[in-house]
């Protein structure tokens, strides 16, 4: 009996997320949707994952409008979204009432298939989202995060599939985010799951390790019902297997997809041209990396690890880190490596290599070990759990569902969203709930319209004659020309006197350069100083935590090296380097604040010079990025350590805190590009 295999294409979400940092605009998608709709796909993955974040952060697009626009042009093909269970699309667990509201709104606006997963495969983190999706009447697909460990056997996966079927799942997905699923193991896994559940099974396997085409073929042979692929011009590398390739492999067999290769080639041609718009974001990794077969690190994380190690002056340690990752993964309960667990395990492995195994635990590692992310697949290292409990000041690990400790928060979020320029709709409130630090800026600027993909074009060589040129900065174009002498640059009709000299290092964003005496407190790694744990002058004991820093998206404690009064030489919010003196134990008071040189500022759309400090204590930018907003009114009375500014850098939001008590005056406007060390405010 013929058994047609169905295809879900991921070109509208996972392909460009994997290859181009999720920058594809809706405008570039809409023209091809009618042709995609006629192919006969089981579904088109087009929403969720990182698309929501990128829409409001980089593209000035309303993600809900994107969903509605796509649905209008896809009347025959269900839109699939990727949903992280209780985390939804944000970076924390949400209260149950928020989960219900989000799923209901997503279904109303166009989602036809909810693919729901959890990094730990903890069913408790999935049940509420699954129940909410079932109430909408849409297709509910429960996904199993795939890993290769002694714990993750085909029997374990089959049991998870059985449990998810009891949730009312309409289908099951094997989510292989790192390309670890081998062809013959895929065959056996599909057989095992098909033995215990009688619902469709879908296979999702990235091409990162070079095995995905063979894996999908064997999975189909074993009985898989649906395969995830990507149109060929957006396939391979860290993306997925080419749609046309699988269609042709299965053609003429009992599994023939029935899809028209000529129609697929037309779509491939369209995206081949569209891909050129995103050349500047193109992943440097386009081949197969078999190191991942051992480390299990997702392809995108591998490049991040390499760059992070270079920042720490340890670029030669990458192989040591890759060897350490499986050890950390085991000690943390054999967790699959997918957001956010991949970053937690990877960063802890880096710290183990640099400082000795588990001498420094990140805050996120401690939370993982103490149950705050949910139940790990296997028991964690008992000694490590004791250490994490002690450092978290906990007597026992969390055993309940983490969301059970989160009270309903919808009404509170509605009020907060309105205070930050939301329009009062359910959709705007949910946007704010997902990304509360990014959404206000989007709300205030969405009237400007979406970013055009043309603004991403790779800059051509500037004219040598100083003639007019167009310069794109962070997606905004400026008309620029220079005088014959080169000492005047005109931006959008406004002239600026400039001078050129030898390049110098950007000033470090620290308030002081050192302390007068005592035992130095030094930064173990490069990153950002988050806060002083105890006030200056406090007498501490050796081993007490005195400073919290952020490095590689993780928090790290810095402890006192001896008994005595603590003094600080670097303010919270400052960028720090490995080995930098942050304070001292014993000795005199900290040195007076060193003057901070104001760095040049990128021209805004209507060029306006930043205000100069007028004698107050300067609050510098810890890193280069974008000034998002002030969190207090200009002229407000602030206290030391109070957050006064939010900036965005490297896709992350950072708080800038007051260093002194007094009246704050802001020197930079919201939306302005800023440089490390630039004066953002002053306190008098």
């Amino acid at each position: 009996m013929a058994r047609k295999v169905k295809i879900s294409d991921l070109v509208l979400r996972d392909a460009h997320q994997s290859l181009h940092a999720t920058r594809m605009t809706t405008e570039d998608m809409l023209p091809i949707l009618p042709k995609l709709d006629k192919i006969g796909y089981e579904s088109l993955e087009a929403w969720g994952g990182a698309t929501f974040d990128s829409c409001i952060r980089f593209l000035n697009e309303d993600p809900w409008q994107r969903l509605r626009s796509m649905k209008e042009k896809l009347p025959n093909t269900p839109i699939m979204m990727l949903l992280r269970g209780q985390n939804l699309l944000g970076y924390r667990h949400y209260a149950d009432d928020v989960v219900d509201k989000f799923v209901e709104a997503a279904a109303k606006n166009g989602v036809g298939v909810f693919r729901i997963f959890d990094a730990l495969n903890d069913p408790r983190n999935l049940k509420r989202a699954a129940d909410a999706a079932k109430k909408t009447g849409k297709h509910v697909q429960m996904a199993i995060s795939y890993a290769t460990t002694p714990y993750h056997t085909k029997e374990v996966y089959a049991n998870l599939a059985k449990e998810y079927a009891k949730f009312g799942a309409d289908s099951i997905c094997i989510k292989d985010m790192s390309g670890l699923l081998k062809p013959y193991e895929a065959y056996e896994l599909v057989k095992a799951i098909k033995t215990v559940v009688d619902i469709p099974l879908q296979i999702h396997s990235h091409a990162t390790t070079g095995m995905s085409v063979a894996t999908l073929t064997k999975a189909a042979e074993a009985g898989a019902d649906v395969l995830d692929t990507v149109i060929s011009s957006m396939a391979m590398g860290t993306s997925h297997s080419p749609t046309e390739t699988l269609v042709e492999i299965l053609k003429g067999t009992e599994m023939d997809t029935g899809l028209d290769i000529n129609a697929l080639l037309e779509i491939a041609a369209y995206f081949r041209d569209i891909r050129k718009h995103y050349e500047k974001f193109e992943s440097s990794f386009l081949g197969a990396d078999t190191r991942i077969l051992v480390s299990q690190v997702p392809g995108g994380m591998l490049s991040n690890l390499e760059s992070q190690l270079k920042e720490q002056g340890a670029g030669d340690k990458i192989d040591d880190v890759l060897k350490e990752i499986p050890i950390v993964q085991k000690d943390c309960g054999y967790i699959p490596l997918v957001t956010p667990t991949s970053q937690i395990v990877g960063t802890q492995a880096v710290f183990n290599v640099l400082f000795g195994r588990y001498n420094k635990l990140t805050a996120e590692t401690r939370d993982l070990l103490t149950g705050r992310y949910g139940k790990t697949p296997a028991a964690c290292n008992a000694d490590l759990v004791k250490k994490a409990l002690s450092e978290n000041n906990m007597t026992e690990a969390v055993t309940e569902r983490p969301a059970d400790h989160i009270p309903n928060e919808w009404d509170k979020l509605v009020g907060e969203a309105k205070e930050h320029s939301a329009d009062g709709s359910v959709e705007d409130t949910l946007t704010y709930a997902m990304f509360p630090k990014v959404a206000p800026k989007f709300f205030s600027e969405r009237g400007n319209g979406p970013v055009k993909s043309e603004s991403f074009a790779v800059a051509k060589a500037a004219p040598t004659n100083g003639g007019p040129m167009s310069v794109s900065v962070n997606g905004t174009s400026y008309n620029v020309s220079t005088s014959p002498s080169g000492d005047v640059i005109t931006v959008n009709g406004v002239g600026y006197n400039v001078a050129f000299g030898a390049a110098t290092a950007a000033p470090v964003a620290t308030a002081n350069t050192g302390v007068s005496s005592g035992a130095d407190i030094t930064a173990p790694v490069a990153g950002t100083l988050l806060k002083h744990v105890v006030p200056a002058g406090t007498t501490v004991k050796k081993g007490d935590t005195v400073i919290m820093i952020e490095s590689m998206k993780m928090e790290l404690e810095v402890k006192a090296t001896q008994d005595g009064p603590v003094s600080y030489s670097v303010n919270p919010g400052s960028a720090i380097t490995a080995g930098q003196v942050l304070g001292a134990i014993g000795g005199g008071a900290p040195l007076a604040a060193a003057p901070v040189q104001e760095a040049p500022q990128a021209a805004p759309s209507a060029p306006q010079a930043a205000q100069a400090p007028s004698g107050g204590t300067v609050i510098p930018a810890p890193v280069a990025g974008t000034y998002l907003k002030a969190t207090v009114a200009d002229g407000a009375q602030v206290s030391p350590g109070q957050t006064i500014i939010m900036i965005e850098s490297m896709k992350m939001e950072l708080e800038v805190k007051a260093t002194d008590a007094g009246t704050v005056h802001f020197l930079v406007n919201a939306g302005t590009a800023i440089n490390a060390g630039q004066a953002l405010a002053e306190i008098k």
Side-chain angles (χ1 to χ4, degrees), residues 584-606:
I585 305 295
L591 299 176
V596 179
Q597 179 183 350
E598 185 176 348
Q601 177 182 333
S605 55

Side-chain angles (χ1 to χ4, degrees), residues 135 152 181 200 323 392 401 413 468 515 518 542 545:
K135 289 178 182 177
H152 290 91
L181 183 57
K323 292 176 182 176
N392 271 358
R401 184 182 72 123
L413 288 168
V515 295
K542 181 180 179 180
T545 300

Side-chain angles (χ1 to χ4, degrees), residues 568-606:
Y568 301 111
S569 57
V570 178
N571 291 322
S574 298
I576 56 176
T577 58
Q580 181 177 346
V581 176
L582 307 179
I585 305 295
L591 299 176
V596 179
Q597 179 183 350
E598 185 176 348
Q601 177 182 333
S605 55

Side-chain angles (χ1 to χ4, degrees), residues 3 26 160 223-224 265 307 310 348 366 379 456 500-501 538 568 576 586 616 633 638 641:
R3 183 181 60 81
T26 303
L160 277 171
L265 291 176
S307 64
K310 289 177 181 177
Q348 188 60 57
R366 296 198 303 267
F456 300 142
F500 298 91
T538 303
Y568 301 111
I576 56 176
V638 298

Side-chain angles (χ1 to χ4, degrees), residues 212-468:
S212 61
V213 171
T215 293
L216 294 183
T217 302
K218 291 299 292 184
E221 183 181 331
D225 302 278
V226 189
L227 306 178
D228 281 1
T229 62
V230 168
I231 203 72
S232 61
S233 50
M234 293 287 287
M236 304 308 288
T238 54
S239 182
H240 291 262
S241 299
T243 300
E244 304 95 303
T245 300
L246 269 297
V247 167
E248 288 298 297
I249 287 174
L250 300 177
K251 189 175 182 179
T253 73
E254 67 172 7
M255 300 169 287
D256 197 325
T257 66
L259 302 188
D260 184 349
I261 187 67
N262 291 313
L264 291 169
L265 291 176
E266 289 183 23
I267 293 168
Y270 176 84
F271 281 106
R272 191 171 295 111
D273 287 336
I274 290 297
R275 185 168 180 170
K276 297 174 184 176
H277 297 176
Y278 306 96
E279 181 182 353
K280 68 182 292 183
F281 303 113
E282 188 80 48
S283 170
S284 60
F285 178 72
L286 299 175
D289 193 325
T290 52
R291 292 178 294 178
I292 294 170
L293 292 170
V294 176
S295 68
Q296 303 189 39
V297 175
M301 186 186 169
L302 184 64
S303 57
N304 285 336
L305 278 176
E306 290 177 314
S307 64
Q308 290 165 347
L309 282 168
K310 289 177 181 177
E311 290 175 1
Q312 309 300 341
D316 60 333
K317 303 292 187 182
I318 182 64
D319 287 334
D320 294 334
V321 171
L322 292 178
K323 292 176 182 176
E324 186 70 15
I325 284 174
I327 297 172
V328 178
Q329 183 187 28
K330 176 183 178 181
D331 287 339
C332 291
Y334 283 123
I335 53 177
L337 299 183
V338 63
T339 305
T341 54
S342 55
Q343 186 66 37
I344 294 171
V345 169
T347 303
Q348 188 60 57
V350 169
F351 286 174
N352 285 2
V353 169
L354 295 180
F355 310 118
R357 187 168 291 161
Y358 303 123
N359 284 338
K360 297 183 183 295
L361 293 180
T362 70
E364 290 78 7
T365 298
R366 296 198 303 267
D367 286 347
L368 180 64
L369 291 166
T370 56
R372 287 176 169 173
Y373 281 93
K375 184 180 180 181
T376 56
C380 300
N381 181 301
D383 292 334
L384 204 55
V385 171
K386 289 180 182 178
K387 179 179 175 68
L389 287 170
S390 176
E391 294 186 8
N392 271 358
N393 294 316
M394 298 169 63
T395 57
E396 59 184 14
V398 175
T399 57
E400 303 87 1
R401 184 182 72 123
D404 287 343
H405 297 273
I406 306 174
N408 285 341
E409 55 183 331
W410 177 252
D411 291 341
K412 177 174 72 71
L413 288 168
V414 170
E416 290 181 6
K418 289 180 179 178
E419 292 174 0
H420 290 89
S421 303
D423 63 10
S425 66
V426 169
E427 289 81 5
D428 262 17
T429 300
L430 289 166
T431 297
Y432 174 81
M434 296 302 101
F435 303 99
K437 295 178 180 178
V438 183
K441 181 175 183 290
F442 165 70
F443 293 151
S444 65
E445 297 183 357
R446 62 179 159 187
N448 298 332
V451 170
K452 302 288 186 180
S453 61
E454 290 82 358
S455 66
F456 300 142
V458 177
K460 306 299 182 183
T464 58
N465 60 1

